[in-house]
Amino acid sequence: KKREDGPSSCCLLKDMKRIPQCDNKLGRLEFSKTHTVLVDVGIFNVGAGPLPQEGRDVWNSDFVKMPNSQSSHMKTGFTMQTKVRWEVISKQLSSLSKKTTASVNDLEEAIIKYNPKYKSQWSFDALSSLVKANPKGDNYLPKLFPKIAELALRLPELVMKAVPLLKRGHPAAITLSQTQIACLLANAFFCTYPHRNASGPKAEYHNYPSINFTSLFGNWSSRKKQKLRAIMHYFQEVTAKEPTGLVTFERHCLRDTDFSNWRSCNKKMPKLHVASLGTIENEGKGMLQVDFASSWIGGGVLGSGLVQEEILFIINPELIVSRLFTEKLGDKECLIVTGSQQFSNYSGFGDTFQWEGPHEERLNRDEWARLQRQIVAIDALHFKHRSEQFNMINVTRELNKAYCGFKGHRPDEPDIATGNWGCGAFNGDKQLKAVIQLMAAAQAKRGLAFFTFEDESLKQGLQQTHHLLVTERTTVEKLFILLEDYCAAQQASGVRVDLFDFIRINFSPCRSLL
Ligand code: AR6
């Protein structure tokens, strides 16, 4: 039923705090034990731009195994002679890069030369169909492929320092230039990363998302077409003109000493703006934007997935590089990405998603030349049955996960733009997840801009609930105890109990009269 607009303690969108209003001094760009910087900080700090930091290749389980590593070998030809893999890769890519136009067959032949095991498994039909459709006309894609090959070939000169893996339980960060990212992604496009194709529990990188683009090239569908259009547009832009900034990827882990007891949290409700229209990425510009993530960062971005996270990664393709080095997120972990660029506009969602052309980036950059866009990936629990979420173990897990993402790391942080986190593909209850996010934001002392994605009734209900909680000066601990009762009531009844009604009945000043 539609709820009526009542009194509201919510604020306007213009009252939300955004990055340009935050007063944080970053100081010089510096590397440390837990912050790897792949550009030369000396040169960068004197304003001479991002140039690659020198370094050496490391071939072990703490670093990304690079395609151009001298330790990466393969057997080739009839004689099964052992060669350094990069020799094979670079020979193939050089001959592609010298062509004015390359066909999908040329690409496939090249890729299979250094991935011979997958000859009969990998399909390139989606890429072929896109080329046949000839988007933009004028042989756009066949002309673009050689340029991507050229970019991939620059790997040894662009990424000299070893890229660490952001491993589970270890908070750490990596800062790299947008050009380095483009080159790493060009390598992903040509499926050059070694040891990254096998799946299954015994595979070396079984705990990491996939990175080679092969899964994007096969199984034609209209979703694939739209995704590939956006990705190809990204490569078109970065091969035409080198982007100039830096991007930082940080893995954060909530430690027990940070905070653990929701039963003794006396914070009150945070500032809230609720809107049924608008999206996190547009109306939430300059706020910390929540990625409704998979614990395998990027989810199905390289497959056929096309909901909030995949769309975000498709319009900001630099996010995809996180899959190269981010181990599966644990329950109390998140990934924060600062500075990624939006290259595409889109419309629709899922099957109706459409690539809508180039995005003109208007954001300013911070002192480290990062665009003022910050995205936090937090993965909700995936409930096979809705009823699983109404127990306090799962509620606490979601509170900790949201808090890990929302917790600030600098003195002055922007507000948070979020919405129906975990409530689409992951089957969460919108009201419960909204209350969980309010509690986490209260503990993190940050405001929330909540986009209900056209759910008018959720908007009204959330506004009224927030108003009640604010007027009653309700604390997080009180809400936590109420959630315990709510879960018990929910389990006992077997049918859906409306959480906002439950809160109203329990917290309303005239509840004794009810
Ligand atoms: N802005 C605001 N709200 C949105 C937006 C947007 N741009 N897009 C969607 N919504 P979902 P989940 C709303 O299903 O349930 C991916 O495969 C809309 O109401 O993407 O956390 C990941 O990789 C939508 O139904 O998030 C994970 O594997 C709701 O947000 C998995 O899906 C939830 O969006 C995560 O699923």
Side-chain angles (χ1 to χ4, degrees):
K1 66 179 187 293
K2 189 166 163 17
R3 292 167 200 268
E4 298 302 319
D5 259 325
S8 176
S9 47
C10 288
C11 64
L12 299 172
L13 188 59
K14 70 173 179 46
D15 298 326
M16 303 309 288
K17 189 163 164 192
R18 300 173 195 252
I19 298 172
Q21 290 149 252
C22 299
D23 187 24
N24 288 317
K25 289 275 165 286
L26 289 170
R28 291 162 58 84
L29 176 64
E30 281 181 68
F31 60 86
S32 69
K33 249 181 160 169
T34 54
H35 183 193
T36 301
V37 180
L38 298 181
V39 300
D40 186 317
V41 293
I43 295 176
F44 183 81
N45 285 325
V46 295
L51 292 181
Q53 167 65 39
E54 287 184 11
R56 63 186 178 88
D57 176 55
V58 185
W59 184 264
N60 69 27
S61 60
D62 290 331
F63 294 87
V64 173
K65 291 191 167 159
M66 296 295 272
N68 59 323
S69 169
Q70 292 301 310
S71 307
S72 180
H73 296 103
M74 67 177 287
K75 291 193 166 60
T76 60
F78 293 116
T79 53
M80 294 303 266
Q81 187 197 354
T82 302
K83 277 194 176 164
V84 171
R85 199 158 169 272
W86 185 247
E87 273 179 34
V88 182
I89 296 172
S90 53
K91 187 174 162 206
Q92 294 303 317
L93 297 189
S94 310
S95 72
L96 274 181
S97 71
K98 288 188 190 111
K99 293 175 180 270
T100 22
T101 60
S103 67
V104 174
N105 264 345
D106 296 335
L107 245 65
E108 179 173 352
E109 266 178 34
I111 291 173
I112 293 300
K113 280 268 166 34
Y114 45 85
N115 291 296
K117 255 199 341 213
Y118 298 92
K119 190 173 166 48
S120 57
Q121 286 175 46
W122 287 357
S123 139
F124 291 75
D125 64 295
L127 198 56
S128 298
S129 302
L130 184 68
V131 172
K132 276 194 206 109
N134 198 12
K136 286 189 169 183
D138 194 26
N139 252 349
Y140 156 62
L141 290 171
K143 282 185 189 159
L144 179 56
F145 296 145
K147 294 184 194 156
I148 308 176
E150 201 181 324
L151 178 58
L153 276 170
R154 293 176 64 200
L155 187 62
E157 74 187 72
L158 280 177
V159 185
M160 293 186 263
K161 198 173 155 64
V163 184
L165 294 169
L166 296 180
K167 289 188 164 187
R168 201 166 188 157
H170 298 278
I174 302 175
T175 295
L176 68 175
S177 72
Q178 290 182 279
T179 302
Q180 289 174 320
I181 295 177
C183 175
L184 291 167
L185 289 178
N187 275 278
F189 180 86
F190 279 104
C191 307
T192 66
Y193 291 100
H195 299 204
R196 297 301 287 260
N197 298 321
S199 53
K202 290 214 176 105
E204 181 181 343
Y205 283 90
H206 71 274
N207 229 13
Y208 287 78
S210 63
I211 181 67
N212 288 328
F213 278 14
T214 157
S215 46
L216 206 51
F217 297 154
N219 293 326
W220 169 249
S221 66
S222 60
R223 285 187 173 206
K224 280 275 173 69
K225 176 178 176 188
Q226 298 302 323
K227 291 172 83 161
L228 280 168
R229 288 203 67 179
I231 295 287
M232 299 319 293
H233 168 66
Y234 164 75
F235 283 122
Q236 160 81 13
E237 295 266 306
V238 294
T239 53
K241 186 165 174 278
E242 277 193 18
T244 53
L246 302 187
V247 183
T248 301
F249 297 82
E250 300 165 68
R251 186 183 192 110
H252 288 285
C253 314
L254 201 60
R255 287 166 308 211
D256 287 343
T257 46
D258 282 334
F259 174 75
S260 56
N261 196 354
W262 292 96
R263 265 180 163 278
S264 56
C265 167
N266 56 13
K267 305 270 183 348
K268 307 232 166 55
M269 285 303 102
K271 178 170 93 180
L272 176 71
H273 168 79
V274 194
S276 54
L277 297 178
T279 58
I280 295 171
E281 66 278 9
N282 279 341
E283 280 66 22
K285 274 213 171 74
M287 294 185 225
L288 174 68
Q289 301 178 359
V290 178
D291 162 14
F292 302 159
S294 158
S295 53
W296 310 89
I297 190 84
V301 63
L302 299 182
S304 51
L306 201 43
V307 285
Q308 195 251 10
E309 173 165 57
E310 289 92 355
I311 294 174
L312 193 62
F313 277 53
I314 286 293
I315 61 172
N316 299 257
E318 289 160 345
L319 296 173
I320 298 174
V321 86
S322 60
R323 295 170 66 88
L324 181 62
F325 44 70
T326 310
E327 190 173 7
K328 185 176 193 265
L329 296 176
D331 282 343
K332 292 188 183 177
E333 297 186 321
C334 69
L335 185 80
I336 297 187
V337 185
T338 308
S340 69
Q341 182 171 341
Q342 181 177 343
F343 285 84
S344 291
N345 291 323
Y346 77 98
S347 63
F349 188 73
D351 283 336
T352 60
F353 174 90
Q354 296 263 354
W355 181 74
E356 294 286 0
H359 176 79
E360 197 188 318
E361 188 65 276
R362 293 214 180 87
L363 294 179
N364 291 327
R365 294 181 185 270
D366 67 13
E367 293 162 71
W368 293 355
R370 301 177 306 181
L371 287 165
Q372 291 183 324
R373 172 178 291 110
Q374 193 164 54
I375 293 169
V376 61
I378 46 173
D379 54 302
L381 287 173
H382 184 180
F383 301 113
K384 300 259 154 24
H385 301 286
R386 281 179 53 80
S387 59
E388 291 164 27
Q389 65 197 296
F390 305 111
N391 81 58
M392 290 312 282
I393 293 173
N394 288 342
V395 168
T396 306
R397 189 276 184 195
E398 301 296 66
L399 278 167
N400 287 333
K401 174 64 77 167
Y403 176 59
C404 177
F406 295 177
K407 185 175 180 290
H409 299 277
R410 268 173 276 279
D412 199 14
E413 296 276 23
D415 287 329
I416 297 156
T418 189
N420 301 329
W421 173 53
C423 298
F426 279 3
N427 223 1
D429 181 274
K430 287 184 188 174
Q431 297 186 359
L432 178 56
K433 274 293 197 300
V435 170
I436 286 174
Q437 292 186 84
L438 271 180
M439 292 163 74
Q443 175 61 22
K445 298 200 218 101
R446 294 170 86 166
L448 274 191
F450 197 104
F451 299 96
T452 70
F453 215 63
E454 298 185 2
D455 189 333
E456 192 59 37
S457 146
L458 179 70
K459 175 189 155 188
Q460 311 277 353
L462 185 55
Q463 281 176 339
Q464 286 169 10
T465 306
H466 183 256
H467 183 74
L468 175 65
L469 296 173
V470 169
T471 33
E472 289 294 296
R473 306 180 59 76
T474 310
T475 57
V476 170
E477 61 191 319
K478 243 179 127 183
L479 257 179
F480 186 83
I481 292 164
L482 178 113
L483 286 181
E484 291 178 325
D485 295 344
Y486 169 73
C487 286
Q490 179 74 62
Q491 279 166 10
S493 89
V495 292
R496 183 171 177 273
V497 180
D498 186 296
L499 175 60
F500 292 162
D501 284 347
F502 194 85
I503 292 176
R504 190 168 44 79
I505 290 164
N506 282 280
F507 282 160
S508 184
C510 49
R511 62 184 169 276
S512 50
L513 303 175
L514 288 170

